[in-house]
Amino acid sequence: MFDLFGLDYFVDGSKRIFWLYLVSALMIALLFFWKQRAILKMQFSKEVLWHPSARLDYLYFGVMGIVKTLLLLPLLVGVNEVALWMVMAIQEVFGYVERIRVDRIWLITGYTTMLFVFNDLTRYWLHRWMHTSSLLWRFHRVHHSAEVLNPMTFYRVHPIENLLFGFRYALTTGAITALFIYFFGAGIGVVEIFGANMIVFIFMLIGANLRHSHIPLHYPKRIEKWLISPYQHQLHHTTRYSRYNYGSTLAVWDWWFGSLLYSKDLTYIDEPLRFGLLDEQPTHSLVGAFFNPFYKGIKL
Amino acid sequence: MTPIKTTTLFILFLLLAGCSEDNNYDGTGLIGQVASISSSTTTVDPIVSLQSFVFTANAEALVENIQTMQKRVESIDTSLSEREILKLQVDFEAIATAWKSVEASYIVGDFESSLIDTPRYIDYFHEGKALDVAADIDKVLNQTGDIQVALNKNSSKGINALEYLAFGYYEPLSTLKIKMKTNNLRRIEVIKAVLKNLKTQATLIFTFYKNDTKIKSDVQKTSSAIVNVLADSAYKLREWRIGEAAGFVFKYKDSPNPSRLEYYYSRLSLEMIKAVIETHEEVMGEQSYGNFGSFASSNGAKAIVTKIRNQINLIQATLDTFSTPLEGKITTTSVDPKVTEIYEMIRVLQSLYYDSLIQSLNLTAEIIEADGD
Ligand SMILES: [Zn+2]
Ligand SMILES: [Zn+2]
């Protein structure tokens, strides 16, 4: 039961809302916005945390725990199966190669880094596709329909989108793993902290949860070129700039593929942003979120 | 800095410092558990016994079998009989079998870089297309000068050369007797030179295994090396030693030819395949001594080890039903279904080794994490 409703997410380092990441996000918010009490007060106000949109986020999270366990997991092709299938296929097509001997420390570092980088890249493209394909947008708009943001909004994602991202993960991780086994053999491994890829861990720790919040933390321009700041993702949640900043952690994909928007490029940065969709009165109902994408309009 | 900022930074620092403790990369496969070995009570005894009962013992057997054949050729003179040639052939089989065992579990290269290439001074199977060991040996035999000078190619001093020297093109003993006596027993002299090289190489391997302490002290590395060598060995077994001859691989699709078998001249390919699988059994199977199978099993990889053991047993049982040499089961026009069957079985074995490795990486954790953002 504990697992079923997603409560284990708070104690699992591979999850976004792991308690430590929430605590560190809070610390960072306090650190940078101590002088701007209004911003902090706003985030913790009833209007934000008990808004119908936020209440849907919480309900959604609880229900999705069950949906994922009972419906999605059995449907997903496992990453292990993909990796195994691919390594056998690569070897059969390209033949045997003499193993490249690399010091274990470099092998693990390389594999950990490649997993992070390529997963971040495929996330970028799938996210972008969720916006550019009108069919996929139907599902992704569930996430964008949130009018207020809090860390749980991260889980406000339609099951179909979850499924697509699951396949994306399996394919990306499976391919990287297969290639590493093919060229380097059994010495590979992931450097993990609390069960999360070490690089992912670091980025989660430095405020990933502020992405879904009203805390306008942004980085200097030269950093926002490389790393998506929380504010840059908040911009993505506005109707006006939703075609920018698709990135999860690295900003380079947005930069290279022309969808990057810097926080400083906006003249009215001090104004609070307005999140959500324009075209309709949001219902913030669970049933609506699950079923509307199958028959409702698709305008942004 | 304000006190609140200082305090916050301090707490952040503590959080970060606390995290570095839990740094690991272990999982549920053959290798993963081993990562935590230093901090747990897991014994490395199985690795120690694997090293002495399998690695060292097989290398020692190889050295001894070479010495046995050396003794026999030393005693040969012009009164050479067919019976003696037959004994030489039996000696060859013993050497080749021992070598296949050493080769199938050769992890030395991971611990001693000067010995990475040692197998290449012994075995030339699948080493370069243009290589025709038999033709090279014939050239040496037809010359009259110094043998060491004539044997200028390393490949002429390997085990494949020895096979051709002892069996010709699988020729009758009577023919071989004539050939052996030709040119002042030159063929026997060449055999001596080949054996000398083989003994040098085999002794290097044996000495390493006998004196090494690195294998047991770095079990993480040893585990990787073992999974690598077993997966490689299974791959080469099915693709090179069976698939290419049977026309199962891309390169020779549907054009089987038994002459591509590894020990075609001696018709011993089946015995050698059995030797390779037996080595897998020695390393992974249920044995009276501790081995890698028992080691991985007691470190949490029991399920996959059981699967591997069952697969090895299945392959062995199937190989035992082969009544004729493999060379008789593959012709240029047909392949015995049993060959196909064994090929597929070894494929499964290889995928189990990879599977164990992939499982140990623990990749499934974040698969369903909603990462739409
Ligand atoms: Zn989006
Ligand atoms: Zn978002």
Side-chain angles (χ1 to χ4, degrees), chain B residues 282-308:
Chain B
E282 287 171 0
V283 176
M284 294 303 302
E286 186 117 43
Q287 303 287 357
S288 55
Y289 52 85
N291 61 9
F292 191 60
S294 64
F295 178 72
S297 211
S298 62
N299 282 291
K302 198 168 184 163
I304 191 90
V305 170
T306 306
K307 277 191 192 170
I308 290 170

PDB file of all heavy atoms in Angstrom, chain B residues 282-308:
ATOM      1  N   GLU B 282      32.961 -25.735 -15.194  1.00  0.00           N
ATOM      2  CA  GLU B 282      33.928 -25.651 -14.092  1.00  0.00           C
ATOM      3  C   GLU B 282      33.869 -24.294 -13.390  1.00  0.00           C
ATOM      4  O   GLU B 282      34.015 -24.203 -12.181  1.00  0.00           O
ATOM      5  CB  GLU B 282      35.359 -25.873 -14.623  1.00  0.00           C
ATOM      6  CG  GLU B 282      35.654 -27.308 -14.997  1.00  0.00           C
ATOM      7  CD  GLU B 282      36.992 -27.454 -15.719  1.00  0.00           C
ATOM      8  OE1 GLU B 282      37.686 -26.431 -15.930  1.00  0.00           O
ATOM      9  OE2 GLU B 282      37.329 -28.588 -16.090  1.00  0.00           O
ATOM     10  N   VAL B 283      33.642 -23.246 -14.192  1.00  0.00           N
ATOM     11  CA  VAL B 283      33.638 -21.896 -13.616  1.00  0.00           C
ATOM     12  C   VAL B 283      32.297 -21.575 -12.956  1.00  0.00           C
ATOM     13  O   VAL B 283      32.243 -20.960 -11.891  1.00  0.00           O
ATOM     14  CB  VAL B 283      33.962 -20.842 -14.697  1.00  0.00           C
ATOM     15  CG1 VAL B 283      33.867 -19.428 -14.136  1.00  0.00           C
ATOM     16  CG2 VAL B 283      35.346 -21.086 -15.279  1.00  0.00           C
ATOM     17  N   MET B 284      31.199 -22.007 -13.601  1.00  0.00           N
ATOM     18  CA  MET B 284      29.868 -21.597 -13.136  1.00  0.00           C
ATOM     19  C   MET B 284      29.074 -22.707 -12.457  1.00  0.00           C
ATOM     20  O   MET B 284      28.197 -22.434 -11.638  1.00  0.00           O
ATOM     21  CB  MET B 284      29.034 -21.109 -14.339  1.00  0.00           C
ATOM     22  CG  MET B 284      29.511 -19.854 -15.005  1.00  0.00           C
ATOM     23  SD  MET B 284      29.632 -18.435 -13.908  1.00  0.00           S
ATOM     24  CE  MET B 284      27.952 -18.306 -13.294  1.00  0.00           C
ATOM     25  N   GLY B 285      29.317 -23.945 -12.834  1.00  0.00           N
ATOM     26  CA  GLY B 285      28.448 -25.052 -12.437  1.00  0.00           C
ATOM     27  C   GLY B 285      28.556 -25.421 -10.969  1.00  0.00           C
ATOM     28  O   GLY B 285      29.374 -24.894 -10.211  1.00  0.00           O
ATOM     29  N   GLU B 286      27.694 -26.340 -10.594  1.00  0.00           N
ATOM     30  CA  GLU B 286      27.698 -26.851  -9.223  1.00  0.00           C
ATOM     31  C   GLU B 286      28.874 -27.806  -9.094  1.00  0.00           C
ATOM     32  O   GLU B 286      28.928 -28.843  -9.735  1.00  0.00           O
ATOM     33  CB  GLU B 286      26.376 -27.591  -8.976  1.00  0.00           C
ATOM     34  CG  GLU B 286      26.202 -28.042  -7.555  1.00  0.00           C
ATOM     35  CD  GLU B 286      24.997 -27.354  -6.919  1.00  0.00           C
ATOM     36  OE1 GLU B 286      23.966 -27.257  -7.602  1.00  0.00           O
ATOM     37  OE2 GLU B 286      25.124 -26.937  -5.759  1.00  0.00           O
ATOM     38  N   GLN B 287      29.833 -27.451  -8.270  1.00  0.00           N
ATOM     39  CA  GLN B 287      31.051 -28.259  -8.161  1.00  0.00           C
ATOM     40  C   GLN B 287      31.352 -28.565  -6.701  1.00  0.00           C
ATOM     41  O   GLN B 287      30.806 -27.924  -5.800  1.00  0.00           O
ATOM     42  CB  GLN B 287      32.250 -27.517  -8.774  1.00  0.00           C
ATOM     43  CG  GLN B 287      32.095 -27.115 -10.223  1.00  0.00           C
ATOM     44  CD  GLN B 287      32.182 -28.281 -11.188  1.00  0.00           C
ATOM     45  OE1 GLN B 287      32.418 -29.429 -10.785  1.00  0.00           O
ATOM     46  NE2 GLN B 287      31.979 -28.020 -12.476  1.00  0.00           N
ATOM     47  N   SER B 288      32.272 -29.506  -6.513  1.00  0.00           N
ATOM     48  CA  SER B 288      32.665 -29.828  -5.135  1.00  0.00           C
ATOM     49  C   SER B 288      33.513 -28.701  -4.545  1.00  0.00           C
ATOM     50  O   SER B 288      33.637 -28.565  -3.341  1.00  0.00           O
ATOM     51  CB  SER B 288      33.430 -31.143  -5.116  1.00  0.00           C
ATOM     52  OG  SER B 288      34.525 -31.059  -6.005  1.00  0.00           O
ATOM     53  N   TYR B 289      34.116 -27.917  -5.431  1.00  0.00           N
ATOM     54  CA  TYR B 289      34.915 -26.778  -4.965  1.00  0.00           C
ATOM     55  C   TYR B 289      34.123 -25.481  -5.199  1.00  0.00           C
ATOM     56  O   TYR B 289      33.184 -25.453  -5.993  1.00  0.00           O
ATOM     57  CB  TYR B 289      36.241 -26.731  -5.727  1.00  0.00           C
ATOM     58  CG  TYR B 289      36.082 -26.780  -7.236  1.00  0.00           C
ATOM     59  CD1 TYR B 289      35.838 -25.625  -7.975  1.00  0.00           C
ATOM     60  CD2 TYR B 289      36.140 -27.995  -7.913  1.00  0.00           C
ATOM     61  CE1 TYR B 289      35.676 -25.666  -9.344  1.00  0.00           C
ATOM     62  CE2 TYR B 289      35.972 -28.050  -9.282  1.00  0.00           C
ATOM     63  CZ  TYR B 289      35.739 -26.887  -9.989  1.00  0.00           C
ATOM     64  OH  TYR B 289      35.565 -26.936 -11.343  1.00  0.00           O
ATOM     65  N   GLY B 290      34.504 -24.441  -4.505  1.00  0.00           N
ATOM     66  CA  GLY B 290      33.860 -23.153  -4.725  1.00  0.00           C
ATOM     67  C   GLY B 290      34.307 -22.585  -6.061  1.00  0.00           C
ATOM     68  O   GLY B 290      35.456 -22.754  -6.460  1.00  0.00           O
ATOM     69  N   ASN B 291      33.393 -21.923  -6.775  1.00  0.00           N
ATOM     70  CA  ASN B 291      33.777 -21.302  -8.044  1.00  0.00           C
ATOM     71  C   ASN B 291      33.000 -20.003  -8.222  1.00  0.00           C
ATOM     72  O   ASN B 291      32.353 -19.530  -7.293  1.00  0.00           O
ATOM     73  CB  ASN B 291      33.564 -22.271  -9.214  1.00  0.00           C
ATOM     74  CG  ASN B 291      32.109 -22.687  -9.361  1.00  0.00           C
ATOM     75  OD1 ASN B 291      31.212 -22.154  -8.709  1.00  0.00           O
ATOM     76  ND2 ASN B 291      31.881 -23.649 -10.223  1.00  0.00           N
ATOM     77  N   PHE B 292      33.030 -19.466  -9.415  1.00  0.00           N
ATOM     78  CA  PHE B 292      32.362 -18.178  -9.616  1.00  0.00           C
ATOM     79  C   PHE B 292      30.847 -18.316  -9.497  1.00  0.00           C
ATOM     80  O   PHE B 292      30.171 -17.411  -9.010  1.00  0.00           O
ATOM     81  CB  PHE B 292      32.734 -17.580 -10.974  1.00  0.00           C
ATOM     82  CG  PHE B 292      32.287 -16.154 -11.114  1.00  0.00           C
ATOM     83  CD1 PHE B 292      32.756 -15.182 -10.250  1.00  0.00           C
ATOM     84  CD2 PHE B 292      31.384 -15.780 -12.106  1.00  0.00           C
ATOM     85  CE1 PHE B 292      32.333 -13.864 -10.357  1.00  0.00           C
ATOM     86  CE2 PHE B 292      30.960 -14.465 -12.231  1.00  0.00           C
ATOM     87  CZ  PHE B 292      31.435 -13.504 -11.355  1.00  0.00           C
ATOM     88  N   GLY B 293      30.337 -19.475  -9.909  1.00  0.00           N
ATOM     89  CA  GLY B 293      28.905 -19.723  -9.766  1.00  0.00           C
ATOM     90  C   GLY B 293      28.484 -19.669  -8.310  1.00  0.00           C
ATOM     91  O   GLY B 293      27.520 -18.991  -7.952  1.00  0.00           O
ATOM     92  N   SER B 294      29.219 -20.350  -7.450  1.00  0.00           N
ATOM     93  CA  SER B 294      28.841 -20.358  -6.034  1.00  0.00           C
ATOM     94  C   SER B 294      29.071 -18.993  -5.407  1.00  0.00           C
ATOM     95  O   SER B 294      28.314 -18.550  -4.553  1.00  0.00           O
ATOM     96  CB  SER B 294      29.614 -21.445  -5.285  1.00  0.00           C
ATOM     97  OG  SER B 294      30.993 -21.173  -5.287  1.00  0.00           O
ATOM     98  N   PHE B 295      30.104 -18.331  -5.861  1.00  0.00           N
ATOM     99  CA  PHE B 295      30.408 -16.991  -5.353  1.00  0.00           C
ATOM    100  C   PHE B 295      29.276 -16.011  -5.677  1.00  0.00           C
ATOM    101  O   PHE B 295      28.746 -15.329  -4.794  1.00  0.00           O
ATOM    102  CB  PHE B 295      31.716 -16.502  -5.977  1.00  0.00           C
ATOM    103  CG  PHE B 295      32.108 -15.110  -5.577  1.00  0.00           C
ATOM    104  CD1 PHE B 295      32.560 -14.842  -4.306  1.00  0.00           C
ATOM    105  CD2 PHE B 295      32.022 -14.070  -6.493  1.00  0.00           C
ATOM    106  CE1 PHE B 295      32.929 -13.550  -3.941  1.00  0.00           C
ATOM    107  CE2 PHE B 295      32.386 -12.784  -6.140  1.00  0.00           C
ATOM    108  CZ  PHE B 295      32.841 -12.532  -4.860  1.00  0.00           C
ATOM    109  N   ALA B 296      28.879 -15.983  -6.956  1.00  0.00           N
ATOM    110  CA  ALA B 296      27.808 -15.070  -7.369  1.00  0.00           C
ATOM    111  C   ALA B 296      26.496 -15.463  -6.715  1.00  0.00           C
ATOM    112  O   ALA B 296      25.711 -14.616  -6.290  1.00  0.00           O
ATOM    113  CB  ALA B 296      27.672 -15.074  -8.885  1.00  0.00           C
ATOM    114  N   SER B 297      26.287 -16.759  -6.622  1.00  0.00           N
ATOM    115  CA  SER B 297      25.059 -17.271  -6.033  1.00  0.00           C
ATOM    116  C   SER B 297      24.904 -16.801  -4.589  1.00  0.00           C
ATOM    117  O   SER B 297      23.843 -16.333  -4.182  1.00  0.00           O
ATOM    118  CB  SER B 297      25.079 -18.786  -6.096  1.00  0.00           C
ATOM    119  OG  SER B 297      23.788 -19.287  -6.213  1.00  0.00           O
ATOM    120  N   SER B 298      25.980 -16.907  -3.829  1.00  0.00           N
ATOM    121  CA  SER B 298      25.881 -16.513  -2.422  1.00  0.00           C
ATOM    122  C   SER B 298      25.918 -14.997  -2.265  1.00  0.00           C
ATOM    123  O   SER B 298      25.749 -14.473  -1.173  1.00  0.00           O
ATOM    124  CB  SER B 298      26.992 -17.173  -1.606  1.00  0.00           C
ATOM    125  OG  SER B 298      28.242 -16.730  -2.075  1.00  0.00           O
ATOM    126  N   ASN B 299      26.116 -14.285  -3.367  1.00  0.00           N
ATOM    127  CA  ASN B 299      26.088 -12.829  -3.298  1.00  0.00           C
ATOM    128  C   ASN B 299      24.848 -12.246  -3.964  1.00  0.00           C
ATOM    129  O   ASN B 299      24.859 -11.123  -4.458  1.00  0.00           O
ATOM    130  CB  ASN B 299      27.351 -12.240  -3.915  1.00  0.00           C
ATOM    131  CG  ASN B 299      28.528 -12.352  -2.976  1.00  0.00           C
ATOM    132  OD1 ASN B 299      28.584 -11.699  -1.946  1.00  0.00           O
ATOM    133  ND2 ASN B 299      29.450 -13.232  -3.305  1.00  0.00           N
ATOM    134  N   GLY B 300      23.799 -13.035  -4.015  1.00  0.00           N
ATOM    135  CA  GLY B 300      22.519 -12.486  -4.450  1.00  0.00           C
ATOM    136  C   GLY B 300      22.120 -12.753  -5.887  1.00  0.00           C
ATOM    137  O   GLY B 300      21.050 -12.357  -6.311  1.00  0.00           O
ATOM    138  N   ALA B 301      22.977 -13.423  -6.651  1.00  0.00           N
ATOM    139  CA  ALA B 301      22.643 -13.653  -8.058  1.00  0.00           C
ATOM    140  C   ALA B 301      22.181 -15.091  -8.294  1.00  0.00           C
ATOM    141  O   ALA B 301      22.364 -15.652  -9.364  1.00  0.00           O
ATOM    142  CB  ALA B 301      23.845 -13.328  -8.943  1.00  0.00           C
ATOM    143  N   LYS B 302      21.566 -15.654  -7.272  1.00  0.00           N
ATOM    144  CA  LYS B 302      21.210 -17.065  -7.324  1.00  0.00           C
ATOM    145  C   LYS B 302      20.330 -17.418  -8.532  1.00  0.00           C
ATOM    146  O   LYS B 302      20.559 -18.416  -9.209  1.00  0.00           O
ATOM    147  CB  LYS B 302      20.485 -17.446  -6.035  1.00  0.00           C
ATOM    148  CG  LYS B 302      20.451 -18.930  -5.804  1.00  0.00           C
ATOM    149  CD  LYS B 302      19.996 -19.267  -4.397  1.00  0.00           C
ATOM    150  CE  LYS B 302      20.085 -20.775  -4.241  1.00  0.00           C
ATOM    151  NZ  LYS B 302      20.064 -21.221  -2.894  1.00  0.00           N
ATOM    152  N   ALA B 303      19.332 -16.578  -8.790  1.00  0.00           N
ATOM    153  CA  ALA B 303      18.378 -16.899  -9.857  1.00  0.00           C
ATOM    154  C   ALA B 303      19.079 -17.025 -11.207  1.00  0.00           C
ATOM    155  O   ALA B 303      18.880 -18.003 -11.936  1.00  0.00           O
ATOM    156  CB  ALA B 303      17.297 -15.829  -9.921  1.00  0.00           C
ATOM    157  N   ILE B 304      19.908 -16.051 -11.523  1.00  0.00           N
ATOM    158  CA  ILE B 304      20.548 -16.069 -12.839  1.00  0.00           C
ATOM    159  C   ILE B 304      21.607 -17.178 -12.904  1.00  0.00           C
ATOM    160  O   ILE B 304      21.779 -17.813 -13.936  1.00  0.00           O
ATOM    161  CB  ILE B 304      21.122 -14.675 -13.210  1.00  0.00           C
ATOM    162  CG1 ILE B 304      21.550 -14.616 -14.674  1.00  0.00           C
ATOM    163  CG2 ILE B 304      22.274 -14.271 -12.338  1.00  0.00           C
ATOM    164  CD1 ILE B 304      20.481 -14.163 -15.601  1.00  0.00           C
ATOM    165  N   VAL B 305      22.279 -17.434 -11.797  1.00  0.00           N
ATOM    166  CA  VAL B 305      23.270 -18.515 -11.775  1.00  0.00           C
ATOM    167  C   VAL B 305      22.586 -19.857 -12.044  1.00  0.00           C
ATOM    168  O   VAL B 305      23.083 -20.687 -12.810  1.00  0.00           O
ATOM    169  CB  VAL B 305      24.040 -18.548 -10.432  1.00  0.00           C
ATOM    170  CG1 VAL B 305      24.874 -19.813 -10.315  1.00  0.00           C
ATOM    171  CG2 VAL B 305      24.935 -17.323 -10.297  1.00  0.00           C
ATOM    172  N   THR B 306      21.421 -20.038 -11.443  1.00  0.00           N
ATOM    173  CA  THR B 306      20.675 -21.280 -11.674  1.00  0.00           C
ATOM    174  C   THR B 306      20.322 -21.426 -13.151  1.00  0.00           C
ATOM    175  O   THR B 306      20.472 -22.501 -13.741  1.00  0.00           O
ATOM    176  CB  THR B 306      19.391 -21.288 -10.820  1.00  0.00           C
ATOM    177  OG1 THR B 306      19.761 -21.062  -9.465  1.00  0.00           O
ATOM    178  CG2 THR B 306      18.656 -22.603 -10.939  1.00  0.00           C
ATOM    179  N   LYS B 307      19.878 -20.325 -13.752  1.00  0.00           N
ATOM    180  CA  LYS B 307      19.542 -20.373 -15.183  1.00  0.00           C
ATOM    181  C   LYS B 307      20.769 -20.749 -16.009  1.00  0.00           C
ATOM    182  O   LYS B 307      20.686 -21.559 -16.935  1.00  0.00           O
ATOM    183  CB  LYS B 307      19.043 -18.994 -15.646  1.00  0.00           C
ATOM    184  CG  LYS B 307      17.586 -18.730 -15.365  1.00  0.00           C
ATOM    185  CD  LYS B 307      17.180 -17.469 -16.119  1.00  0.00           C
ATOM    186  CE  LYS B 307      15.830 -16.960 -15.668  1.00  0.00           C
ATOM    187  NZ  LYS B 307      15.525 -15.628 -16.209  1.00  0.00           N
ATOM    188  N   ILE B 308      21.900 -20.136 -15.689  1.00  0.00           N
ATOM    189  CA  ILE B 308      23.127 -20.411 -16.435  1.00  0.00           C
ATOM    190  C   ILE B 308      23.519 -21.879 -16.283  1.00  0.00           C
ATOM    191  O   ILE B 308      23.862 -22.556 -17.256  1.00  0.00           O
ATOM    192  CB  ILE B 308      24.259 -19.463 -15.967  1.00  0.00           C
ATOM    193  CG1 ILE B 308      23.977 -18.027 -16.432  1.00  0.00           C
ATOM    194  CG2 ILE B 308      25.621 -19.933 -16.476  1.00  0.00           C
ATOM    195  CD1 ILE B 308      24.886 -16.967 -15.835  1.00  0.00           C
TER     196      ILE B 308
END
